[in-house]
Amino acid sequence: MIKSTITRTLDSDFLWSFRRSKLAMGSFVVVFLLLAGALFSPFIATHNPYDMTTLNLMNGFSAPMEPNAFTGDQFWLGSDGQGRDIFSTILYGLRLSLFVGFMAVAFALVLGVSMGLIAGYVGGWIGATIMRIADVQLTFPAILVAMLIFGIAKGITPVDMREEMAIWVLILAIGLSDWVQFARVVRGATLVEKNKEYVQAARLIGRHPAFIMIRHILPNVLGPVMVIATISLALAIIAEATLSYLGVGAPVTQPSLGTLIRIGQGFLFSGEWWILLFPALTLLALALSVNLLGDWLRDALNPRLR
């Protein structure tokens, strides 16, 4: 039984399309390696770069793969001004960036899908109100919406809790700025699905509207939602990096890739190029690979493009 299930899975069109696309496979490998590095950063990193007891200021500004002139220590990707290993800081920063990205997309997905189902199935003034709010939000750049929400949420957070709540406020801001895409796509799909025979049959036997939306309509609109979620993950990571670069994202005690890029930018013109370059390349590789996976997923799930 289990063997036959595995065989059917391996022979599915989805996996066949994946194996046939070298670009998708390469992107998956990059994403997998970055995810593994983030998850196992405490075991892979040479030290915890944010534990001050493990740092040696004499190791500051060590060039990549060159022994430090004072201590003789060598770092793969160099070190920053505080003697922190850039490789270790990237692993820990990647961990935070991915956490914020996944949580923000999950929040936007749940909110957007819920609003889209209600707007498409219930309709009337409720659906119109939801979509007008979405239309108004689309007139503003997502990063400005995220900055506005972040500022308001941080302002109403008690002062003594701002540091520990900063990451959750950041997730809330990015999620609220990105739910519109999910809502619009789900609403359009719901308008199509609710007039089909299986939904009409569920109504005739007295199913509750909430049950119909969740049990019958939702599974049939998840295809495009997963594609949007994949692409939104890359956008959420970039939004987090942008906010942190501008100094309104992750706190300095929990730096992300955006914070590392902001710190490295200050040393770029003094010759310590590696402090900026390697975190920026990591962010570029992550965002590009996730986007390429999203493009392949869109093609694989759309029979018209096969």
Side-chain angles (χ1 to χ4, degrees):
M1 180 66 179
I2 297 177
K3 185 177 180 180
S4 62
T5 302
I6 295 175
T7 302
R8 287 197 303 269
T9 302
L10 293 176
D11 292 338
S12 64
D13 292 342
F14 185 79
L15 286 183
W16 178 85
S17 175
F18 177 73
R19 292 194 300 267
R20 189 166 172 263
S21 175
K22 295 182 179 179
L23 194 61
M25 292 182 67
S27 300
F28 176 79
V29 170
V30 172
V31 173
F32 176 79
L33 290 175
L34 292 176
L35 279 171
L39 289 173
F40 299 104
S41 54
F43 307 101
I44 301 175
T46 57
H47 65 278
N48 185 343
Y50 308 113
D51 182 1
M52 301 304 294
T53 61
T54 65
L55 303 182
N56 185 352
L57 292 178
M58 299 299 290
N59 283 325
F61 300 119
S62 298
M65 298 303 295
E66 293 185 9
N68 183 271
F70 300 101
T71 65
D73 293 338
Q74 200 172 28
F75 303 92
W76 292 352
L77 305 183
S79 64
D80 62 8
Q82 298 180 13
R84 299 183 298 185
D85 178 24
I86 296 297
F87 177 70
S88 299
T89 60
I90 288 175
L91 290 178
Y92 276 83
L94 187 62
R95 197 178 196 184
L96 182 60
S97 294
L98 285 170
F99 174 75
V100 172
F102 275 112
M103 293 300 294
V105 170
F107 175 66
L109 187 149
V110 172
L111 178 62
V113 169
S114 301
M115 294 296 101
L117 283 172
I118 294 172
Y121 187 82
V122 177
W125 67 270
I126 296 178
T129 302
I130 293 174
M131 299 317 298
R132 295 298 78 76
I133 293 174
D135 291 339
V136 170
Q137 184 167 326
L138 281 176
T139 62
F140 299 95
I143 192 65
L144 292 182
V145 175
M147 290 180 66
L148 175 63
I149 297 172
F150 183 86
I152 295 174
K154 192 172 183 179
I156 62 178
T157 303
V159 178
D160 57 337
M161 296 180 62
R162 286 181 181 176
E163 192 74 14
E164 58 187 77
M165 294 295 294
I167 298 300
W168 297 105
V169 171
L170 184 60
I171 292 171
L172 176 68
I174 297 175
L176 286 176
S177 68
D178 199 35
W179 68 275
V180 175
Q181 302 298 333
F182 293 98
R184 289 169 64 89
V185 170
V186 171
R187 174 183 176 271
T190 302
L191 289 174
V192 175
E193 294 295 325
K194 77 174 186 177
N195 293 319
K196 292 185 176 180
E197 290 80 1
Y198 71 94
V199 175
Q200 300 293 340
R203 287 176 179 168
L204 287 176
I205 62 176
R207 294 293 188 184
H208 193 276
F211 181 88
I212 295 175
M213 286 188 286
I214 297 173
R215 180 65 180 84
H216 297 292
I217 296 179
L218 180 59
N220 292 290
V221 301
L222 283 182
V225 168
M226 299 312 298
V227 176
I228 297 175
T230 305
I231 297 175
S232 294
L233 175 61
L235 296 177
I237 293 172
I238 293 174
E240 181 279 322
T242 303
L243 291 172
S244 297
Y245 180 83
L246 295 174
V248 294
V252 293
T253 55
Q254 296 176 283
S256 65
L257 290 178
T259 309
L260 297 177
I261 293 172
R262 175 167 57 88
I263 294 173
Q265 192 269 339
F267 297 102
L268 180 61
F269 297 105
S270 60
E272 289 79 20
W273 49 269
W274 58 87
I275 303 178
L276 169 66
L277 178 64
F278 294 118
L281 288 178
T282 303
L283 177 64
L284 175 64
L286 177 60
L288 180 61
S289 299
V290 173
N291 266 328
L292 291 175
L293 275 179
D295 290 340
W296 166 79
L297 191 62
R298 177 197 60 200
D299 297 342
L301 295 178
N302 190 346
R304 297 180 181 177
L305 298 178
R306 293 179 184 175

